[in-house]
Amino acid sequence: MNRTTVWPALLLGLVALTGVSSLATGPMALDISNLVNPWRLTATEQLVLVHIRLPRTLLCLGVGAILAICGAIMQGLFRNPLADPGIIGVSGGAALGAAVSMVILAPFSALLPAWLGASVTSFMAFIGGLVTTLVVYRLARTTQGTSVSILLLAGVAIGALSGGVLGLLNYLADDQTLRDLTLWQMGSMAQSDPYQLALVLITALVLTLLLRRHAHALNALALGEAEASHLGIEVQSLKRRLVILAAIAVGVTVAAVGIIGFVGLVVPHLVRLVVGPDHRRLLPLSALLGAWLLLLADMLARTIAAPAEMPVGIITALLGAPFFLWLLLKQKRGLGLA
Amino acid sequence: MKTRGWLMLMLLSAPSMAAEPARLLSAGSSITELVVALGAQHQLVAVDSTSELPAGSELPRLGYHRQLSAEGMLSTQPSLVIGSEEMGPQTALSLVRQAGVQVEALPEAMTIAQLQLNIIHLGELLDRAPQAQALHEAVQQRAIALRAQPIDSPKRTIFLLLGEGNSVQIAGRHTLADSLIQVAGGMNPASTQVEGYKPVAMEALVAMAPEVILISRRHLTQGADTEQIFQQFPLLSHTPAAQHKAIVAINGKALIGGFGLSTLSEAERLQQDWLAPDNLALHSLTQDPLTPHAQTPE
């Protein structure tokens, strides 16, 4: 096996293996051999497997891949290793949308049909994320095109503004709503419905299929905007498309599972440290590593304190950040900077 | 004759042999408290993180009662899940229902009347109607006793949630602390001004001129006393409560998860020790206000 195939094969194998382990582990003891022979499972075991573990596993794959890809796209687009989907305001806007729904719309949720009531928060989160991103993008548009620095600064400003409004809503919320808001912001894989799962998987699929078209352009952009347009890339339309694509994709994940930090920021870094900056490899490998990391984190989240469950966002941060630091320090020594 | 006697015996004992005791899962501190009070503690297989169990008993913890995990619950093989209306999320509960487990959510009590309704409902669910009736009556007696105190001018009483630094939150209307104050026979001046727990300016607090200040016992570590609280919040010493050293530590657990038996106990203690008409003068001279009282619910 040569260098170009070893990493994808390794990661694919890891994802498959962890996916199966994710189906096999949980607070409820299941005989692994029964996974191959589902007819030997009791009704409750089937329920646990089909309605709890399978959706979660698929959700982790989809959400992890989306977050990592979007992180890689943002970092490529802004040529800034600190960029992640949060930087264009998606997460802040989505949190704001969800908070508006929980604090202001909740009293009216009784008027809505039951099937809609539960997903109003998700819908508002999605709309919040999208609207914020569009506002940020709009602010960054100049006569000469989109300014990256204005985009980043506007993202910070709008993020602060939505944080302020969120604080105001926190103040207005009663204690229980406040608890809900806090828990929602930490993210959890436990609560999404089948429609949201389907949406996440379709988004992940579409995103992966669109990758190949954009990888080359992102590589060209790494040389600088002027250079990229000399190479025949329509930089402005590329930026617009990618920003909106990332906003929609991240919005979908936030709506489904809440805010999960760290994956979008760190996974592309890890991949770049190993295989280099070529987006044709960076994007698909990020997707695989993101999926794997989230699978692992979720498995820990639901077994570490069983029968209780921890918000997965806590685990991704606790698991990933020290590992990331270790890698950075190792890299520093390797570069002779230590 | 002898065989008939045996037959009778078997018939009599049959129901108790057939009815397997329900495996109970309880979420919410005040609900678990009622389960224990109704004598069904041995049926519990797991509780949530807010529930307090009698000393010596250990059960698996399901996590925060609004963040229960479906598989976590199912792994304890319950036959009945009970909790307050706050229990959730709904997706997890509906999965548990799909697995054939009965799930019952009782309204979160803000009043003694609702607490009593919950007792009766719980008695039916747990097949312990006589015990529930007895508990209902005991609560009724205690409520009557609480109301019987002749109070001409209710003492102005506030509850403060003291945080790190200078953050102070006051309990307004629709909080359990407000219910506690009212049931104990006090008057909460904050209830006309704020709803829920809200940050409050010290100045506004002094203006309320509370005669009794309640704080959560959690905020007092060992060795801490009222003096330290006055050091941290100097303006507090300008309240009538400070002059009478009427700063009372309340069991914080009695203030979450709805009006429960421990809330009732705290109300009784508060009334006896602090809000009864001529108690303040006595306390300001003699008793250390922070000594927790041993309170045994009957």
Side-chain angles (χ1 to χ4, degrees):
Chain A
M1 221 183 274
N2 62 27
R3 255 186 68 87
T4 47
T5 51
V6 63
W7 284 110
L10 189 71
L11 270 178
L12 210 56
L14 269 179
V15 168
L17 200 70
T18 316
V20 174
S21 329
S22 162
L23 288 178
T25 48
M28 191 138 172
L30 280 187
D31 190 350
I32 298 181
S33 60
N34 281 349
L35 285 184
V36 228
N37 190 0
W39 287 272
R40 295 211 338 242
L41 294 169
T42 65
T44 307
E45 286 172 335
Q46 274 178 27
L47 182 91
V48 166
L49 199 64
V50 178
H51 289 277
I52 298 177
R53 290 188 192 169
L54 187 63
R56 282 187 87 128
T57 305
L58 293 175
L59 200 59
C60 285
L61 291 174
V63 170
I66 291 175
L67 290 177
I69 292 174
C70 291
I73 288 178
M74 287 296 129
Q75 290 172 7
L77 204 57
F78 296 136
R79 281 166 287 139
N80 185 332
L82 288 178
D84 78 342
I87 212 148
I88 48 168
V90 190
S91 311
L96 187 58
V100 166
S101 149
M102 286 184 193
V103 178
I104 295 174
L105 302 180
F108 306 106
S109 66
L111 305 173
L112 298 168
W115 60 270
L116 198 66
S119 50
V120 169
T121 301
S122 304
F123 180 71
M124 288 297 292
F126 177 73
I127 296 293
L130 201 60
V131 167
T132 324
T133 310
L134 289 179
V135 169
V136 169
Y137 183 76
R138 182 80 213 193
L139 287 173
R141 254 183 34 200
T142 64
T143 44
Q144 279 97 40
T146 323
S147 153
V148 168
S149 52
I150 293 187
L151 193 71
L152 289 177
L153 287 174
V156 170
I158 295 287
L161 187 64
S162 61
V165 181
L166 197 64
L168 182 68
L169 288 171
N170 274 350
Y171 177 79
L172 293 175
D174 61 36
D175 305 337
Q176 296 298 356
T177 315
L178 205 57
R179 284 267 198 172
D180 283 346
L181 267 172
T182 316
L183 288 170
W184 183 87
Q185 282 175 45
M186 284 191 283
S188 164
M189 293 287 155
Q191 303 185 34
S192 70
D193 58 48
Y195 303 106
Q196 286 175 339
L197 174 61
L199 199 60
V200 164
L201 291 180
I202 291 169
T203 309
L205 202 67
V206 170
L207 206 57
T208 319
L209 290 177
L210 287 177
L211 287 184
R212 238 177 303 165
R213 296 231 323 252
H214 294 303
H216 173 67
L218 281 170
N219 281 346
L221 204 57
L223 303 169
E225 285 189 25
E227 288 79 356
S229 48
H230 290 319
L231 288 171
I233 310 278
E234 286 197 41
V235 176
Q236 289 321 312
S237 86
L238 174 77
K239 275 188 191 163
R240 189 175 57 239
R241 258 181 296 147
L242 286 183
V243 164
I244 291 175
L245 195 66
I248 291 175
V250 174
V252 166
T253 70
V254 176
V257 302
I259 296 172
I260 292 176
F262 182 77
V263 177
L265 177 66
V266 162
V267 166
H269 273 294
L270 294 182
V271 176
R272 220 177 281 117
L273 286 177
V274 177
V275 302
D278 183 351
H279 284 86
R280 283 172 303 177
R281 305 192 67 203
L282 178 65
L283 294 176
L285 283 179
S286 291
L288 281 176
L289 188 65
W292 181 66
L293 190 77
L294 203 54
L295 262 179
L296 208 63
D298 184 55
M299 268 169 70
L300 277 176
R302 60 202 160 98
T303 47
I304 234 170
E309 191 173 303
M310 288 178 79
V312 73
I314 296 177
I315 308 275
T316 55
L318 288 182
L319 194 74
F323 179 60
F324 180 57
L325 270 178
W326 173 76
L327 254 174
L328 268 185
L329 292 177
K330 218 179 127 204
Q331 183 80 355
K332 199 168 79 170
R333 271 198 293 278
L335 294 172
L337 295 171
Chain B
M1 210 55 193
K2 204 176 174 187
T3 35
R4 257 182 79 180
W6 271 112
L7 210 66
M8 285 293 283
L9 200 67
M10 277 174 70
L11 277 174
L12 281 173
S13 58
S16 64
M17 280 161 66
E20 193 184 319
R23 291 175 61 83
L24 263 189
L25 212 152
S26 173
S29 56
S30 55
I31 303 290
T32 307
E33 200 176 64
L34 289 182
V35 171
V36 173
L38 290 174
Q41 192 198 330
H42 61 281
Q43 285 170 257
L44 285 173
V45 291
V47 292
D48 76 318
S49 61
T50 67
S51 295
E52 235 175 330
L53 290 168
S57 54
E58 272 304 317
L59 285 175
R61 296 279 173 169
L62 297 163
Y64 186 55
H65 66 140
R66 293 167 79 79
Q67 194 76 350
L68 301 170
S69 128
E71 195 185 334
M73 287 192 271
L74 287 175
S75 72
T76 62
Q77 295 172 310
S79 55
L80 173 61
V81 175
I82 43 174
S84 73
E85 268 172 351
E86 307 296 330
M87 158 174 79
Q90 287 306 321
T91 41
L93 294 180
S94 67
L95 278 170
V96 170
R97 276 201 194 93
Q98 271 185 52
V101 179
Q102 189 186 354
V103 178
E104 296 284 343
L106 303 175
E108 187 173 19
M110 289 302 279
T111 58
I112 294 184
Q114 185 59 52
L115 168 67
Q116 288 177 303
L117 287 178
N118 283 355
I119 289 173
I120 296 298
H121 190 182
L122 204 57
E124 285 162 11
L125 286 173
L126 300 180
D127 213 6
R128 283 175 178 269
Q131 288 93 331
Q133 197 57 46
L135 186 60
H136 180 278
E137 266 157 39
V139 169
Q140 185 69 31
Q141 292 309 316
R142 291 166 72 182
I144 290 171
L146 274 168
R147 275 197 294 267
Q149 283 282 354
I151 295 171
D152 304 329
S153 58
K155 293 228 158 63
R156 300 166 70 81
T157 310
I158 58 173
F159 179 85
L160 295 182
L161 210 54
L162 305 177
E164 287 303 311
N166 293 325
S167 98
V168 181
Q169 293 192 55
I170 195 163
R173 61 183 174 277
H174 301 316
T175 59
L176 213 46
D178 186 50
S179 303
L180 172 72
I181 292 169
Q182 281 179 31
V183 167
M187 193 273 274
N188 180 9
S191 69
T192 53
Q193 298 175 30
V194 287
E195 184 170 346
Y197 288 92
K198 288 280 137 69
V200 64
M202 267 301 156
E203 210 177 284
L205 215 151
V206 172
M208 284 178 197
E211 292 162 281
V212 177
I213 296 177
L214 313 179
I215 58 173
S216 173
R217 191 174 292 155
R218 187 162 57 95
H219 293 293
L220 293 174
T221 46
Q222 286 193 324
D225 53 18
T226 39
E227 287 310 315
Q228 277 175 310
I229 289 179
F230 292 138
Q231 268 170 28
Q232 197 185 352
F233 306 100
L235 277 175
L236 273 189
S237 50
H238 297 281
T239 58
Q243 280 136 38
H244 294 111
K245 293 214 185 316
I247 293 196
V248 187
I250 293 287
N251 174 10
K253 288 259 181 186
L255 293 182
I256 44 173
F259 206 104
L261 297 173
S262 52
T263 324
L264 196 57
S265 300
E266 285 296 84
E268 285 165 347
R269 178 172 74 91
L270 191 61
Q271 183 177 71
Q272 272 166 26
D273 293 358
W274 294 102
L275 300 181
D278 18 82
N279 262 358
L280 273 186
L282 179 104
H283 276 286
S284 63
L285 296 174
T286 55
Q287 202 172 343
D288 168 16
L290 301 177
T291 313
H293 283 236
Q295 192 82 33
T296 44
E298 47 261 65

